[in-house]
Amino acid sequence: MAEKEQERLQTESVQENLNTETAAEENYEVCFQAEDVSQFMAALDEKGRLLDEMTDRYKRLQADFDNFRRRTRQEKEELSIIVTERIICELLPIVDNFERATVSTPNDVTALATGVEMIFRQLNSTLTQLGVEPIIAVGNMFDPAQHEAVLRLEDSSQPDGMIVEELQKGYKVNGRVIRPSMVKVVGN
């Protein structure tokens, strides 16, 4: 029993020491010299000034970027209009020739066919000048980047993937596919 009493007294003593240390820490006060305080305040003011300057620069940069984005969008729209106008100007002589062909009343069907062939050649020439080229499909192997397979044919005399018929011609503009060829492909 005496041992238990002694342990209790030791525990109370340790707790009193801890309470005394905690109280001392709570009452601990930090003191600075006046010039240290003024240096801290000057540094704080400098940081505040830098923050205001960076915030202002950020806002200006954001406004510049918004203006750039708006200006770029406008330029793209204007460029699209200019390109469209150029294409239309290139195609208008062909339209004029079609109008002339429909207004005239040729008695000879071969003369009409010859006129339509000439207009077709003129159209192909104009498209070539604009960078349009047909995709060659028949006799080539199927390429999903240039062809669209719509029918499949079994033919043991042809290798798999060979294009045997073109149902609709495909076109590229300056090397970029704008319409894939619709094709019939061998699939054994």
Side-chain angles (χ1 to χ4, degrees):
M1 183 90 167
E3 285 180 22
K4 286 187 180 182
E5 185 63 28
Q6 192 174 13
E7 282 181 29
R8 187 181 62 77
L9 288 174
Q10 284 178 347
T11 304
E12 286 178 4
S13 172
V14 168
Q15 284 180 343
E16 284 179 24
N17 287 339
L18 285 174
N19 289 340
T20 306
E21 288 175 10
T22 304
E25 287 176 5
E26 289 175 2
N27 291 333
Y28 183 71
E29 195 173 298
V30 177
C31 296
F32 292 103
Q33 299 291 331
E35 63 185 48
D36 289 341
V37 171
S38 65
Q39 285 179 350
F40 290 145
M41 293 305 289
L44 185 61
D45 289 342
E46 178 65 16
K47 297 294 182 191
R49 185 188 66 74
L50 286 173
L51 177 64
D52 290 343
E53 183 180 314
M54 292 298 149
T55 302
D56 185 51
R57 287 178 68 187
Y58 169 75
K59 287 179 181 177
R60 287 178 191 269
L61 187 62
Q62 185 67 37
D64 286 346
F65 182 70
D66 288 342
N67 289 338
F68 170 76
R69 192 172 21 200
R70 180 185 45 79
R71 196 170 47 248
T72 303
R73 186 181 64 245
Q74 261 181 329
E75 288 173 357
K76 282 182 182 179
E77 289 170 359
E78 290 171 3
L79 183 61
S80 175
I81 290 170
I82 290 170
V83 169
T84 303
E85 288 173 355
R86 177 177 171 241
I87 291 170
I88 296 299
C89 286
E90 295 287 331
L91 294 176
L92 285 178
I94 299 166
V95 172
D96 293 339
N97 286 339
F98 270 120
E99 284 180 355
R100 285 186 204 107
T102 57
V103 170
S104 70
T105 54
N107 296 334
D108 187 11
V109 175
T110 56
L112 180 62
T114 304
V116 171
E117 285 178 18
M118 290 171 51
I119 295 171
F120 182 69
R121 280 195 303 270
Q122 182 184 15
L123 177 61
N124 279 333
S125 173
T126 301
L127 290 175
T128 302
Q129 289 173 359
L130 293 172
V132 177
E133 60 184 280
I135 296 172
I136 308 300
V138 177
N140 290 326
M141 296 301 289
F142 177 76
D143 178 5
Q146 296 185 8
H147 309 116
E148 181 179 342
V150 292
L151 292 172
R152 190 173 139 184
L153 172 74
E154 290 187 20
D155 185 356
S156 58
S157 67
Q158 300 280 343
D160 278 351
M162 178 63 70
I163 298 172
V164 291
E165 186 179 342
E166 183 177 53
L167 304 172
Q168 183 181 41
K169 192 173 282 286
Y171 292 94
K172 298 182 206 177
V173 175
N174 299 321
R176 182 177 175 192
V177 176
I178 59 168
R179 184 174 85 179
S181 300
M182 295 175 86
V183 295
K184 186 187 290 188
V185 180
V186 173
N188 295 320

